[in-house]
Amino acid sequence: MSKSKIEWTENTWNPVTGCTKISDGCKNCYAAVMAQRLKLMGNKKYVNGFEVALHEYCLTDPLKWKKPSLIFVNSMSDLFHEDIPLDFIQKIFGIMNKASWHTFQVLTKRAERLEELAPYLNWSPNIWQGVTVESDQYKYRIDSLRKVNAKVRFISFEPLIDEVKNLDLAGVDWAIVGGESGFKSRRMDSEWVLSIKNECDQQGVSFYFKQWGGTNKKKNGRLLLGQTWDAMPEIGAK
């Protein structure tokens, strides 16, 4: 388990590392940059850089962590990447099912494969499933998410690189919005953020504003309308 600097989680668990870019939001992928850095540092998980790699030896780690925690699964990969076999995904789900005292957050851009494999997975109440929607072009991922039998469904509008219009949030519990950070970061318009917030307010969806991003994300902060917005689904609710 690694303590996470991501505001909406507490820890990370990476039984898979590595990924490939599939959409606009992947352009400046933080994980790809970090993987190369970790490879140079001699980290055994990244001997092949950002190529997809399965790490069976750390599958059971969450069972050893006794303190209940909010855990982001595969922060350095995408659990529904086409190179990850169904049986390995099922092993990961099996551990999440057993570690019922933790809450696991799974996030994917591969919504079609999520929809395809979801019936073969055990969606215990402690597994939250999300999809990334970085612009209006990828709004279709929400339709796939709706078909997943997860107790909590969420959308990560991050990095938000364009407006997302006419949002239908039926079946969605939580929305996270954030701007891209780093030297090559793309601009996020405040009107795009407010539009999503208004839809969340009207449709009864918890709204979490992560950051404005930019080249100096700490300076730009995470205030929206003069305050922070940290709403989340209730952990452990039946």
Side-chain angles (χ1 to χ4, degrees):
M1 177 167 56
S2 298
K3 292 291 289 183
S4 178
K5 295 181 180 179
I6 300 170
E7 288 82 353
W8 46 262
T9 196
E10 294 173 344
N11 299 288
T12 59
W13 171 46
N14 282 286
V16 180
T17 55
C19 198
T20 49
K21 298 180 180 183
I22 61 163
S23 65
D24 298 338
C26 302
K27 182 178 180 181
N28 300 316
C29 177
Y30 77 91
V33 175
M34 188 180 297
Q36 295 304 322
R37 188 179 305 151
L38 291 168
K39 177 182 179 179
L40 292 173
M41 292 169 61
N43 188 303
K44 64 180 181 179
K45 278 190 174 182
Y46 302 94
V47 290
N48 293 316
F50 205 48
E51 292 181 19
V52 174
L54 313 183
H55 306 291
E56 189 128 13
Y57 71 90
C58 66
L59 270 178
T60 60
D61 284 356
L63 300 176
K64 306 168 189 173
W65 307 329
K66 299 307 179 183
K67 182 180 178 181
S69 181
L70 198 58
I71 300 172
F72 181 18
V73 182
N74 284 357
S75 63
M76 295 293 290
S77 185
D78 186 326
L79 185 56
F80 292 95
H81 192 285
E82 54 275 11
D83 290 344
I84 304 174
L86 173 58
D87 66 342
F88 198 78
I89 297 173
Q90 289 173 325
K91 288 180 182 179
I92 292 171
F93 267 72
I95 296 299
M96 294 192 288
N97 301 150
K98 289 179 182 178
S100 58
W101 57 94
H102 295 310
T103 298
F104 295 92
Q105 300 161 305
V106 182
L107 182 61
T108 186
K109 289 185 176 70
R110 291 164 169 82
E112 298 97 334
R113 191 162 190 245
L114 164 65
E115 180 183 345
E116 175 191 348
L117 300 186
Y120 304 100
L121 303 170
N122 181 7
W123 294 92
S124 50
N126 64 326
I127 300 173
W128 297 5
Q129 179 62 54
V131 295
T132 300
V133 176
E134 61 263 49
S135 69
D136 205 64
Q137 181 179 350
Y138 303 103
K139 195 167 58 178
Y140 68 88
R141 293 172 181 161
I142 305 173
D143 293 327
S144 292
L145 178 65
R146 263 189 276 271
K147 298 174 184 176
V148 176
N149 191 32
K151 178 167 178 53
V152 171
R153 303 183 192 94
F154 68 98
I155 304 169
S156 175
F157 296 95
E158 187 183 16
L160 186 62
I161 56 175
D162 205 348
E163 184 179 12
V164 182
K165 307 171 186 175
N166 303 315
L167 263 177
D168 177 6
L169 297 174
V172 175
D173 304 285
W174 187 31
I176 304 163
V177 179
E180 192 168 48
S181 59
F183 292 111
K184 298 180 180 179
S185 58
R186 290 161 284 185
R187 181 187 67 90
M188 180 175 68
D189 193 304
S190 61
E191 291 303 314
W192 307 342
V193 180
L194 291 171
S195 175
I196 294 172
K197 182 185 181 302
N198 289 338
E199 292 293 348
C200 288
D201 292 343
Q202 292 172 19
Q203 299 184 51
V205 174
S206 298
F207 175 81
Y208 193 107
F209 184 61
K210 182 187 169 192
Q211 64 179 29
W212 287 104
T215 54
N216 190 337
K217 70 176 185 178
K218 287 187 178 179
K219 180 181 178 181
N220 292 333
R222 49 188 304 263
L223 294 181
L224 173 66
L225 302 176
Q227 68 176 83
T228 56
W229 303 87
D230 298 331
M232 293 180 66
E234 186 179 350
I235 296 173
K238 301 298 182 183

